[in-house]
Amino acid sequence: MGGRATMFNIIAYTFIAYNIRRKRLPKSYIYNNFKISKFKLFLAMILIAIAFTYFVNVFIERAEVSGGAIYMLDIVGTIWGVKFSGPLYEIALDVVGPIFVFIIFVFSWYLLQGLVMSNYLLANYDGSPLLGVYGLDLASAVIRRVNPEWVSENFNYLLSMDTYGFLPSAFGSIFIDFKYFGLLIVMIWGWLVGLVYLKVKTSNDPRWLLFIPYVVFGIIFSLINTPLGYSNGLMSHLWLVIGFFLVKKYERGKILKKNEF
């Protein structure tokens, strides 16, 4: 699929999964099979640095198209409804420059806008439920082929509320798609997460550990969207379930041989 979100997901899932392995596998097995050399660690840091440089440059290029970082910082309150201000803001501009301040602002806004937008949508959204079109890329693509006028009409309504294009958090997204019926979806998802926790704690099947990075990531980034809606997460989770059933099963506590892992 490409894009910044996919690159970020890879980094995040790798970090979470590596820490799970360190905690769950026998220490002797980890030492013999997962010992990271200084070269591999250095290479990983270089790759992560390149990825984040790419992320930053995307925002810088967008700002340049709109008149530059300092211009964006001046008008962003009108566009997004939130901005940096006050004496510390002026000091930051003098010390590190407008580009660095703009990058800090953008990354902060990515994490916080879900709280702002979901609060506004829960209080004011009066449109029809979009039945997954807003929160799921695949549903949106299908309905656009079947009834593009309906999609356009509903998205225009969100645009008139100044919320279309923003990240509405998991709860705002579910509310737009399913209204109060979305509470049932949240309960089902919570039950599935609880099932994963129960199986990890009590089951002898270590395949359940495969779900942990996705559960942790989904909880943290519910500030942005649902786990199935964030970065085409529906397909990621479908492949996760397929992988769960295809991977070879081992009994927990068994020290795995290198050629078995």
Side-chain angles (χ1 to χ4, degrees):
M1 188 177 75
R4 290 163 292 148
T6 307
M7 294 172 63
F8 179 79
N9 290 1
I10 293 171
I11 295 172
Y13 287 140
T14 301
F15 176 79
I16 298 172
Y18 177 75
N19 279 278
I20 292 170
R21 283 182 169 181
R22 290 184 61 187
K23 291 181 179 180
R24 291 291 178 173
L25 290 174
K27 291 184 178 180
S28 59
Y29 185 83
I30 295 173
Y31 182 81
N32 293 326
N33 297 280
F34 290 101
K35 186 177 180 181
I36 298 180
S37 66
K38 291 182 179 179
F39 173 75
K40 289 181 179 179
L41 182 61
F42 175 75
L43 182 61
M45 292 175 64
I46 292 296
L47 292 174
I48 292 173
I50 292 173
F52 274 90
T53 300
Y54 169 67
F55 301 159
V56 168
N57 279 322
V58 169
F59 293 118
I60 292 176
E61 288 298 322
R62 286 181 175 180
E64 291 298 326
V65 170
S66 302
I70 189 66
Y71 177 74
M72 285 296 297
L73 286 169
D74 288 339
I75 69 167
V76 76
T78 304
I79 301 174
W80 293 346
V82 61
K83 64 182 297 183
F84 280 165
S85 61
L88 291 179
Y89 166 69
E90 299 296 337
I91 293 173
L93 285 179
D94 294 335
V95 174
V96 298
I99 292 179
F100 190 75
V101 173
F102 178 69
I103 294 303
I104 295 175
F105 173 79
V106 169
F107 276 93
S108 302
W109 179 229
Y110 257 74
L111 292 176
L112 296 177
Q113 63 180 282
L115 299 175
V116 178
M117 293 300 162
S118 61
N119 178 65
Y120 183 72
L121 288 166
L122 290 171
N124 299 287
Y125 182 74
D126 197 31
S128 60
L130 300 191
L131 306 177
V133 171
Y134 187 72
L136 298 177
D137 294 336
L138 186 59
S140 178
V142 171
I143 301 301
R144 282 176 188 272
R145 295 293 184 269
V146 177
N147 192 346
E149 291 80 12
W150 182 80
V151 176
S152 177
E153 180 181 343
N154 284 281
F155 281 5
N156 277 332
Y157 174 68
L158 291 169
L159 188 63
S160 69
M161 295 180 66
D162 292 327
T163 57
Y164 182 75
F166 292 101
L167 306 173
S169 85
F171 299 100
S173 178
I174 287 176
F175 183 72
I176 292 173
D177 277 333
F178 303 104
K179 286 298 186 72
Y180 292 104
F181 183 73
L183 290 173
L184 177 60
I185 297 175
V186 173
M187 291 175 64
I188 293 173
W189 189 267
W191 180 83
L192 290 172
V193 170
L195 177 64
V196 170
Y197 180 81
L198 176 66
K199 292 296 185 179
V200 167
K201 286 291 187 180
T202 62
S203 174
N204 286 324
D205 185 353
R207 294 180 302 171
W208 286 97
L209 294 170
L210 293 172
F211 289 103
I212 295 182
Y214 292 82
V215 168
V216 173
F217 187 88
I219 292 172
I220 296 173
F221 282 87
S222 62
L223 287 169
I224 294 177
N225 204 339
T226 66
L228 299 184
Y230 177 76
S231 187
N232 204 17
L234 175 62
M235 299 308 301
S236 299
H237 283 73
L238 286 177
W239 282 112
L240 171 65
V241 173
I242 292 172
F244 174 83
F245 287 108
L246 291 180
V247 74
K248 191 173 182 180
K249 180 179 177 180
Y250 292 92
E251 292 183 5
R252 178 175 293 184
K254 177 182 178 182
I255 298 178
L256 308 177
K257 296 179 181 178
K258 188 172 183 180
N259 61 353
E260 289 179 330
F261 188 74

Short mmCIF file of all heavy atoms in Angstrom, two decimals, residues 16-59:
data_model
loop_
_atom_site.label_atom_id
_atom_site.label_comp_id
_atom_site.label_asym_id
_atom_site.label_seq_id
_atom_site.Cartn_x
_atom_site.Cartn_y
_atom_site.Cartn_z
N ILE A 16 7.12 -3.65 19.38
CA ILE A 16 6.27 -4.34 20.35
C ILE A 16 6.53 -5.84 20.33
O ILE A 16 6.67 -6.49 21.37
CB ILE A 16 4.79 -4.05 20.06
CG1 ILE A 16 4.49 -2.56 20.20
CG2 ILE A 16 3.89 -4.84 21.02
CD1 ILE A 16 3.09 -2.17 19.75
N ALA A 17 6.63 -6.41 19.11
CA ALA A 17 6.82 -7.86 18.98
C ALA A 17 8.15 -8.30 19.57
O ALA A 17 8.25 -9.35 20.21
CB ALA A 17 6.73 -8.26 17.51
N TYR A 18 9.20 -7.50 19.34
CA TYR A 18 10.52 -7.85 19.88
C TYR A 18 10.49 -7.88 21.41
O TYR A 18 11.07 -8.77 22.03
CB TYR A 18 11.58 -6.87 19.38
CG TYR A 18 12.95 -7.14 19.95
CD1 TYR A 18 13.71 -8.22 19.48
CD2 TYR A 18 13.48 -6.34 20.95
CE1 TYR A 18 14.96 -8.49 20.01
CE2 TYR A 18 14.73 -6.61 21.48
CZ TYR A 18 15.46 -7.67 21.01
OH TYR A 18 16.70 -7.94 21.54
N ASN A 19 9.81 -6.93 22.01
CA ASN A 19 9.72 -6.90 23.47
C ASN A 19 8.90 -8.07 24.01
O ASN A 19 9.20 -8.59 25.08
CB ASN A 19 9.11 -5.57 23.92
CG ASN A 19 10.12 -4.45 23.95
OD1 ASN A 19 10.88 -4.30 24.90
ND2 ASN A 19 10.17 -3.65 22.90
N ILE A 20 7.88 -8.49 23.26
CA ILE A 20 7.11 -9.66 23.68
C ILE A 20 7.97 -10.91 23.65
O ILE A 20 7.93 -11.75 24.56
CB ILE A 20 5.88 -9.83 22.76
CG1 ILE A 20 4.90 -8.67 22.98
CG2 ILE A 20 5.18 -11.17 23.04
CD1 ILE A 20 3.79 -8.64 21.97
N ARG A 21 8.79 -11.04 22.61
CA ARG A 21 9.68 -12.21 22.53
C ARG A 21 10.66 -12.24 23.70
O ARG A 21 10.93 -13.28 24.28
CB ARG A 21 10.46 -12.17 21.21
CG ARG A 21 9.65 -12.59 20.01
CD ARG A 21 10.49 -12.57 18.76
NE ARG A 21 9.80 -13.21 17.65
CZ ARG A 21 10.32 -13.35 16.43
NH1 ARG A 21 11.55 -12.89 16.19
NH2 ARG A 21 9.65 -13.95 15.48
N ARG A 22 11.19 -11.09 24.05
CA ARG A 22 12.15 -11.02 25.16
C ARG A 22 11.51 -11.44 26.47
O ARG A 22 12.16 -12.05 27.33
CB ARG A 22 12.70 -9.60 25.29
CG ARG A 22 13.61 -9.19 24.15
CD ARG A 22 14.20 -7.82 24.41
NE ARG A 22 14.99 -7.81 25.63
CZ ARG A 22 15.52 -6.72 26.18
NH1 ARG A 22 15.31 -5.53 25.60
NH2 ARG A 22 16.22 -6.79 27.27
N LYS A 23 10.22 -11.15 26.64
CA LYS A 23 9.54 -11.47 27.90
C LYS A 23 9.01 -12.90 27.94
O LYS A 23 8.88 -13.49 29.01
CB LYS A 23 8.39 -10.48 28.13
CG LYS A 23 8.85 -9.06 28.41
CD LYS A 23 7.66 -8.14 28.66
CE LYS A 23 8.12 -6.73 28.97
NZ LYS A 23 6.98 -5.80 29.23
N ARG A 24 8.69 -13.47 26.78
CA ARG A 24 7.97 -14.74 26.75
C ARG A 24 8.84 -15.95 26.43
O ARG A 24 8.56 -17.05 26.89
CB ARG A 24 6.82 -14.66 25.73
CG ARG A 24 5.70 -13.72 26.16
CD ARG A 24 4.95 -14.28 27.34
NE ARG A 24 3.91 -13.39 27.81
CZ ARG A 24 3.03 -13.70 28.75
NH1 ARG A 24 3.06 -14.90 29.31
NH2 ARG A 24 2.12 -12.84 29.14
N LEU A 25 9.87 -15.76 25.61
CA LEU A 25 10.71 -16.90 25.25
C LEU A 25 11.78 -17.13 26.32
O LEU A 25 12.17 -16.20 27.01
CB LEU A 25 11.37 -16.66 23.90
CG LEU A 25 10.45 -16.70 22.67
CD1 LEU A 25 11.21 -16.30 21.42
CD2 LEU A 25 9.83 -18.08 22.50
N PRO A 26 12.25 -18.36 26.46
CA PRO A 26 13.32 -18.64 27.43
C PRO A 26 14.55 -17.78 27.15
O PRO A 26 14.91 -17.55 26.00
CB PRO A 26 13.62 -20.12 27.18
CG PRO A 26 12.37 -20.68 26.58
CD PRO A 26 11.80 -19.58 25.76
N LYS A 27 15.20 -17.30 28.23
CA LYS A 27 16.33 -16.39 28.07
C LYS A 27 17.48 -17.02 27.28
O LYS A 27 18.14 -16.36 26.50
CB LYS A 27 16.83 -15.94 29.43
CG LYS A 27 15.85 -15.02 30.16
CD LYS A 27 16.42 -14.52 31.47
CE LYS A 27 15.44 -13.58 32.16
NZ LYS A 27 15.97 -13.08 33.45
N SER A 28 17.69 -18.31 27.48
CA SER A 28 18.77 -18.99 26.75
C SER A 28 18.48 -19.03 25.26
O SER A 28 19.38 -18.86 24.43
CB SER A 28 18.95 -20.42 27.28
OG SER A 28 17.74 -21.15 27.13
N TYR A 29 17.20 -19.21 24.91
CA TYR A 29 16.83 -19.24 23.49
C TYR A 29 16.98 -17.86 22.87
O TYR A 29 17.46 -17.71 21.74
CB TYR A 29 15.39 -19.73 23.34
CG TYR A 29 14.97 -19.90 21.90
CD1 TYR A 29 15.29 -21.06 21.20
CD2 TYR A 29 14.28 -18.89 21.25
CE1 TYR A 29 14.92 -21.21 19.87
CE2 TYR A 29 13.91 -19.02 19.92
CZ TYR A 29 14.23 -20.19 19.25
OH TYR A 29 13.88 -20.32 17.94
N ILE A 30 16.59 -16.84 23.60
CA ILE A 30 16.73 -15.48 23.10
C ILE A 30 18.20 -15.14 22.86
O ILE A 30 18.56 -14.56 21.84
CB ILE A 30 16.11 -14.48 24.10
CG1 ILE A 30 14.60 -14.72 24.21
CG2 ILE A 30 16.39 -13.04 23.67
CD1 ILE A 30 13.94 -13.89 25.29
N TYR A 31 19.03 -15.53 23.82
CA TYR A 31 20.46 -15.19 23.70
C TYR A 31 21.08 -15.84 22.47
O TYR A 31 21.90 -15.24 21.78
CB TYR A 31 21.20 -15.64 24.96
CG TYR A 31 22.67 -15.29 24.94
CD1 TYR A 31 23.10 -14.01 25.27
CD2 TYR A 31 23.63 -16.25 24.59
CE1 TYR A 31 24.45 -13.68 25.24
CE2 TYR A 31 24.97 -15.93 24.55
CZ TYR A 31 25.38 -14.65 24.89
OH TYR A 31 26.70 -14.32 24.86
N ASN A 32 20.67 -17.07 22.19
CA ASN A 32 21.27 -17.81 21.07
C ASN A 32 20.68 -17.44 19.72
O ASN A 32 21.35 -17.56 18.68
CB ASN A 32 21.10 -19.32 21.28
CG ASN A 32 21.91 -19.82 22.46
OD1 ASN A 32 23.00 -19.31 22.73
ND2 ASN A 32 21.38 -20.80 23.19
N ASN A 33 19.42 -16.97 19.70
CA ASN A 33 18.75 -16.77 18.43
C ASN A 33 18.31 -15.34 18.14
O ASN A 33 18.04 -15.00 16.99
CB ASN A 33 17.50 -17.67 18.37
CG ASN A 33 17.85 -19.14 18.44
OD1 ASN A 33 18.24 -19.74 17.44
ND2 ASN A 33 17.72 -19.73 19.62
N PHE A 34 18.24 -14.50 19.18
CA PHE A 34 17.75 -13.14 18.96
C PHE A 34 18.73 -12.08 19.47
O PHE A 34 18.34 -10.95 19.72
CB PHE A 34 16.39 -12.94 19.64
CG PHE A 34 15.29 -13.70 18.99
CD1 PHE A 34 14.84 -14.89 19.53
CD2 PHE A 34 14.71 -13.25 17.82
CE1 PHE A 34 13.83 -15.60 18.93
CE2 PHE A 34 13.70 -13.96 17.21
CZ PHE A 34 13.26 -15.14 17.76
N LYS A 35 19.96 -12.46 19.61
CA LYS A 35 20.95 -11.48 20.04
C LYS A 35 21.22 -10.50 18.90
O LYS A 35 21.52 -10.89 17.78
CB LYS A 35 22.26 -12.19 20.43
CG LYS A 35 23.29 -11.25 21.03
CD LYS A 35 24.52 -12.03 21.45
CE LYS A 35 25.55 -11.09 22.06
NZ LYS A 35 26.78 -11.83 22.46
N ILE A 36 21.06 -9.22 19.19
CA ILE A 36 21.21 -8.19 18.17
C ILE A 36 22.63 -7.64 18.23
O ILE A 36 23.07 -7.12 19.26
CB ILE A 36 20.20 -7.05 18.38
CG1 ILE A 36 18.77 -7.59 18.25
CG2 ILE A 36 20.42 -5.93 17.37
CD1 ILE A 36 17.71 -6.55 18.43
N SER A 37 23.34 -7.75 17.14
CA SER A 37 24.70 -7.21 17.07
C SER A 37 24.64 -5.69 16.99
O SER A 37 23.61 -5.09 16.68
CB SER A 37 25.42 -7.77 15.84
OG SER A 37 24.81 -7.32 14.65
N LYS A 38 25.76 -5.06 17.28
CA LYS A 38 25.83 -3.60 17.22
C LYS A 38 25.57 -3.11 15.79
O LYS A 38 24.96 -2.06 15.59
CB LYS A 38 27.19 -3.12 17.71
CG LYS A 38 27.41 -3.34 19.20
CD LYS A 38 28.77 -2.81 19.63
CE LYS A 38 28.97 -3.00 21.13
NZ LYS A 38 30.29 -2.50 21.57
N PHE A 39 26.01 -3.90 14.80
CA PHE A 39 25.80 -3.51 13.41
C PHE A 39 24.31 -3.53 13.06
O PHE A 39 23.80 -2.61 12.43
CB PHE A 39 26.56 -4.45 12.47
CG PHE A 39 26.26 -4.21 11.01
CD1 PHE A 39 26.80 -3.11 10.35
CD2 PHE A 39 25.42 -5.07 10.31
CE1 PHE A 39 26.51 -2.87 9.02
CE2 PHE A 39 25.13 -4.84 8.97
CZ PHE A 39 25.69 -3.74 8.33
N LYS A 40 23.60 -4.59 13.49
CA LYS A 40 22.16 -4.68 13.21
C LYS A 40 21.41 -3.56 13.92
O LYS A 40 20.46 -2.99 13.36
CB LYS A 40 21.62 -6.05 13.64
CG LYS A 40 22.09 -7.21 12.78
CD LYS A 40 21.48 -8.51 13.26
CE LYS A 40 21.91 -9.67 12.38
NZ LYS A 40 21.34 -10.96 12.85
N LEU A 41 21.82 -3.26 15.15
CA LEU A 41 21.17 -2.18 15.89
C LEU A 41 21.41 -0.84 15.19
O LEU A 41 20.49 -0.03 15.05
CB LEU A 41 21.71 -2.13 17.31
CG LEU A 41 21.10 -1.07 18.23
CD1 LEU A 41 19.60 -1.31 18.39
CD2 LEU A 41 21.78 -1.11 19.61
N PHE A 42 22.64 -0.63 14.73
CA PHE A 42 22.97 0.61 14.02
C PHE A 42 22.17 0.70 12.72
O PHE A 42 21.64 1.77 12.39
CB PHE A 42 24.47 0.64 13.73
CG PHE A 42 24.89 1.82 12.89
CD1 PHE A 42 24.98 3.08 13.44
CD2 PHE A 42 25.21 1.66 11.55
CE1 PHE A 42 25.36 4.17 12.68
CE2 PHE A 42 25.60 2.74 10.77
CZ PHE A 42 25.67 4.00 11.34
N LEU A 43 22.05 -0.43 12.00
CA LEU A 43 21.29 -0.44 10.75
C LEU A 43 19.82 -0.14 11.00
O LEU A 43 19.18 0.61 10.25
CB LEU A 43 21.44 -1.80 10.06
CG LEU A 43 20.74 -1.97 8.71
CD1 LEU A 43 21.27 -0.97 7.70
CD2 LEU A 43 20.92 -3.40 8.19
N ALA A 44 19.26 -0.71 12.07
CA ALA A 44 17.86 -0.46 12.40
C ALA A 44 17.64 1.01 12.72
O ALA A 44 16.63 1.61 12.30
CB ALA A 44 17.45 -1.32 13.59
N MET A 45 18.56 1.61 13.46
CA MET A 45 18.45 3.03 13.80
C MET A 45 18.52 3.90 12.55
O MET A 45 17.80 4.90 12.44
CB MET A 45 19.55 3.41 14.79
CG MET A 45 19.40 2.77 16.17
SD MET A 45 20.79 3.13 17.26
CE MET A 45 20.63 4.90 17.44
N ILE A 46 19.37 3.53 11.60
CA ILE A 46 19.48 4.28 10.34
C ILE A 46 18.18 4.21 9.56
O ILE A 46 17.67 5.22 9.05
CB ILE A 46 20.65 3.75 9.49
CG1 ILE A 46 22.00 4.06 10.14
CG2 ILE A 46 20.60 4.34 8.08
CD1 ILE A 46 22.29 5.53 10.25
N LEU A 47 17.59 3.00 9.48
CA LEU A 47 16.34 2.82 8.74
C LEU A 47 15.19 3.61 9.38
O LEU A 47 14.38 4.23 8.69
CB LEU A 47 15.98 1.34 8.66
CG LEU A 47 16.90 0.48 7.80
CD1 LEU A 47 16.52 -1.00 7.91
CD2 LEU A 47 16.85 0.91 6.34
N ILE A 48 15.15 3.60 10.71
CA ILE A 48 14.11 4.36 11.42
C ILE A 48 14.31 5.86 11.20
O ILE A 48 13.34 6.61 10.98
CB ILE A 48 14.14 4.03 12.93
CG1 ILE A 48 13.68 2.57 13.15
CG2 ILE A 48 13.25 4.99 13.71
CD1 ILE A 48 13.82 2.10 14.58
N ALA A 49 15.56 6.30 11.22
CA ALA A 49 15.86 7.72 10.99
C ALA A 49 15.43 8.14 9.58
O ALA A 49 14.88 9.23 9.38
CB ALA A 49 17.34 7.98 11.20
N ILE A 50 15.69 7.27 8.60
CA ILE A 50 15.28 7.57 7.22
C ILE A 50 13.76 7.66 7.12
O ILE A 50 13.21 8.56 6.47
CB ILE A 50 15.81 6.49 6.25
CG1 ILE A 50 17.34 6.57 6.16
CG2 ILE A 50 15.20 6.64 4.86
CD1 ILE A 50 17.96 5.44 5.37
N ALA A 51 13.06 6.73 7.79
CA ALA A 51 11.59 6.74 7.75
C ALA A 51 11.04 8.03 8.34
O ALA A 51 10.16 8.66 7.77
CB ALA A 51 11.05 5.52 8.51
N PHE A 52 11.56 8.43 9.51
CA PHE A 52 11.04 9.64 10.15
C PHE A 52 11.44 10.90 9.39
O PHE A 52 10.71 11.89 9.40
CB PHE A 52 11.52 9.71 11.60
CG PHE A 52 10.63 8.95 12.55
CD1 PHE A 52 10.86 7.61 12.83
CD2 PHE A 52 9.53 9.57 13.13
CE1 PHE A 52 10.04 6.91 13.69
CE2 PHE A 52 8.70 8.87 13.98
CZ PHE A 52 8.95 7.53 14.27
N THR A 53 12.59 10.85 8.72
CA THR A 53 12.96 11.97 7.85
C THR A 53 11.95 12.12 6.73
O THR A 53 11.56 13.23 6.36
CB THR A 53 14.37 11.76 7.27
OG1 THR A 53 15.31 11.66 8.34
CG2 THR A 53 14.77 12.91 6.37
N TYR A 54 11.51 10.99 6.20
CA TYR A 54 10.48 10.99 5.15
C TYR A 54 9.18 11.59 5.69
O TYR A 54 8.54 12.42 5.04
CB TYR A 54 10.27 9.58 4.63
CG TYR A 54 9.06 9.42 3.75
CD1 TYR A 54 8.99 10.03 2.50
CD2 TYR A 54 7.97 8.65 4.16
CE1 TYR A 54 7.88 9.88 1.68
CE2 TYR A 54 6.86 8.49 3.36
CZ TYR A 54 6.82 9.11 2.12
OH TYR A 54 5.71 8.96 1.32
N PHE A 55 8.77 11.16 6.90
CA PHE A 55 7.55 11.69 7.51
C PHE A 55 7.62 13.21 7.61
O PHE A 55 6.68 13.92 7.24
CB PHE A 55 7.34 11.11 8.91
CG PHE A 55 7.25 9.62 8.98
CD1 PHE A 55 7.49 8.95 10.17
CD2 PHE A 55 6.94 8.86 7.86
CE1 PHE A 55 7.40 7.57 10.25
CE2 PHE A 55 6.84 7.48 7.92
CZ PHE A 55 7.08 6.84 9.11
N VAL A 56 8.75 13.68 8.13
CA VAL A 56 8.92 15.12 8.37
C VAL A 56 8.90 15.89 7.05
O VAL A 56 8.27 16.95 6.93
CB VAL A 56 10.22 15.38 9.14
CG1 VAL A 56 10.57 16.87 9.14
CG2 VAL A 56 10.12 14.86 10.56
N ASN A 57 9.59 15.35 6.04
CA ASN A 57 9.66 16.05 4.76
C ASN A 57 8.31 16.17 4.07
O ASN A 57 8.06 17.14 3.34
CB ASN A 57 10.66 15.35 3.83
CG ASN A 57 12.09 15.73 4.14
OD1 ASN A 57 12.37 16.87 4.46
ND2 ASN A 57 13.00 14.78 4.06
N VAL A 58 7.42 15.19 4.29
CA VAL A 58 6.07 15.27 3.73
C VAL A 58 5.36 16.51 4.27
O VAL A 58 4.76 17.29 3.52
CB VAL A 58 5.26 14.00 4.05
CG1 VAL A 58 3.79 14.21 3.70
CG2 VAL A 58 5.81 12.82 3.27
N PHE A 59 5.45 16.72 5.58
CA PHE A 59 4.79 17.88 6.20
C PHE A 59 5.45 19.18 5.77
O PHE A 59 4.78 20.20 5.57
CB PHE A 59 4.82 17.75 7.72
CG PHE A 59 3.99 16.62 8.24
CD1 PHE A 59 4.56 15.58 8.94
CD2 PHE A 59 2.61 16.60 8.03
CE1 PHE A 59 3.80 14.54 9.42
CE2 PHE A 59 1.83 15.56 8.51
CZ PHE A 59 2.43 14.53 9.21
#
